[in-house]
Amino acid sequence: MAFASFILYALLILQFSIGSHGLEMNMIKPEDDQPRHPSPDLSLNVFFKITDLYLGNKIQIYLASNEDSTPTKLLSKEEADSIPFSLSKLPHLLEYFSFSNTSPQAKAMQTTLKQCEVKPIGGEVKTCVTSLKSMMEMTRHFFGTVKPKVLTTKILSSKHTLYQNYTIVEKPKEVNTSKVIACHTMAYPYMVYYCHGHKGHMTRLFKVALGGENKERIDAIAVCHMDTSKWDRDHVSFRILGVRRGSSPVCHVIPVDNIVWFA
Ligand SMILES: *[C@@H]1O[C@H](CO)[C@@H](O)[C@H](O)[C@H]1NC(C)=O
Ligand SMILES: *[C@@H]1O[C@H](CO)[C@@H](O)[C@H](O)[C@H]1NC(C)=O
């Protein structure tokens, strides 16, 4: 994954993993009329409000494509398990992958490993997986005997414009869920997914058909975080949407190479 978009993912993950306890949802309050402030860093403009989700509405969002990132090597579980995956082994890992201590790759690996070692907070499930087999094991553990379904965002057109106005071309469909896990790709020399989720109704999932100004079509999966009261007060989404912490759900489209498991 491109390094720049990695920053964004880290930001989404960090902030969204906070506050998964306290099931009491903030119901949708009347909108405060603060103007929105798109960020000059275009890649941060991924957020919208739950009240934006209606047929015919236009939303201006940045949607990363996985085409502009370098393909990441997918390891088998055996291969992945043979390489240490811990922050304490970073010096050894840098040598192993031939990255200098001061390289951007070293910094990205450090951030990923740190992120993966943060302990989950009450009720939250959080784990990093380094192979598809490990991901399947993780979902079996989380969902038990229930077979989870999977959702991803799909770009249906060959030409993709990263930042543009999209019109919602079909009535958004809510996907009923009781358990959700989102797995985000992380910057690392091979495929690492940071998966986190929880049981209950802290998040709502929607299928949203988007039509771009350039006529492209996207079948997007949007997630709305219903309770933002425990997020960082300065979370960039609040400024972009003109809302205060806890006053309104915050939604974003799931990036293209991420995976949402739900039951
Ligand atoms: C979206 O449309 C608005 C109003 O028409 C315009 O001001 C804005 O620049 C457009 N955004 C993008 C990313 O094209
Ligand atoms: C979701 O749940 C609501 C109410 O519980 C129900 O009316 C609706 O049909 C369900 N939607 C799907 C896609 O199952």
Side-chain angles (χ1 to χ4, degrees):
M1 174 189 316
F3 187 67
S5 58
F6 167 68
I7 305 285
L8 167 66
Y9 292 114
L11 192 119
L12 290 173
I13 291 160
L14 264 176
Q15 309 298 347
F16 294 169
S17 61
I18 298 172
S20 15
H21 46 110
L23 264 185
E24 197 176 319
M25 286 193 317
N26 285 298
M27 291 324 287
I28 304 163
K29 288 184 186 149
E31 297 294 311
D32 30 29
D33 286 317
Q34 300 288 334
R36 300 185 189 201
H37 290 291
S39 170
D41 178 352
L42 299 184
S43 69
L44 292 178
N45 293 316
V46 298
F47 303 103
F48 55 90
K49 295 185 190 180
I50 197 165
T51 49
D52 291 327
L53 282 176
Y54 59 88
L55 176 62
N57 191 29
K58 232 191 213 184
I59 50 177
Q60 174 180 276
I61 45 171
Y62 181 95
L63 188 58
S65 106
N66 49 2
E67 275 170 25
D68 44 40
S69 60
T70 39
T72 309
K73 212 173 149 180
L74 185 63
L75 301 190
S76 70
K77 186 169 185 340
E78 291 67 32
E79 286 172 296
D81 288 350
S82 72
I83 306 170
F85 189 78
S86 86
L87 191 56
S88 62
K89 293 285 180 352
L90 185 61
H92 163 76
L93 289 168
L94 292 177
E95 208 168 292
Y96 182 90
F97 291 108
S98 316
F99 294 137
S100 87
N101 288 348
T102 52
S103 61
Q105 289 92 338
K107 183 86 190 104
M109 285 176 73
Q110 183 186 37
T111 309
T112 293
L113 289 167
K114 261 194 192 149
Q115 190 66 57
C116 288
E117 289 181 10
V118 173
K119 294 261 181 300
I121 49 171
E124 190 196 33
V125 173
K126 167 186 162 310
T127 184
C128 286
V129 294
T130 52
S131 66
L132 288 185
K133 195 170 174 194
S134 303
M135 190 187 290
M136 299 319 289
E137 286 171 5
M138 179 280 296
T139 59
R140 258 200 304 279
H141 188 249
F142 183 71
F143 292 100
T145 53
V146 181
K147 203 161 179 277
K149 298 194 190 83
V150 76
L151 285 173
T152 56
T153 289
K154 294 184 188 74
I155 299 179
L156 304 178
S157 313
S158 53
K159 270 185 92 174
H160 177 56
T161 303
L162 293 172
Y163 185 50
Q164 62 175 318
N165 284 302
Y166 292 97
T167 304
I168 300 179
V169 294
E170 284 169 29
K171 191 168 180 280
K173 288 188 206 71
E174 177 152 15
V175 182
N176 291 336
T177 63
S178 57
K179 295 180 181 180
V180 180
I181 284 194
C183 293
H184 308 278
T185 49
M186 301 294 278
Y188 212 69
Y190 54 88
M191 193 67 100
V192 172
Y193 280 97
Y194 174 105
C195 301
H196 68 118
H198 38 75
K199 303 173 185 184
H201 301 278
M202 296 290 293
T203 51
R204 289 171 67 181
L205 277 184
F206 296 88
K207 290 183 182 171
V208 189
L210 298 174
E213 280 183 323
N214 66 345
K215 302 273 186 282
E216 77 176 277
R217 272 277 291 111
I218 294 176
D219 276 348
I221 302 305
V223 52
C224 294
H225 298 271
M226 301 309 292
D227 183 1
T228 61
S229 61
K230 295 185 186 70
W231 290 13
D232 185 334
R233 195 179 296 280
D234 297 320
H235 191 270
V236 62
S237 64
F238 301 147
R239 190 160 24 89
I240 289 172
L241 298 179
V243 300
R244 277 168 291 107
R245 174 168 77 169
S247 73
S248 156
V250 168
C251 307
H252 64 97
V253 166
I254 297 287
V256 169
D257 56 359
N258 288 209
I259 300 174
V260 176
W261 297 93
F262 71 98

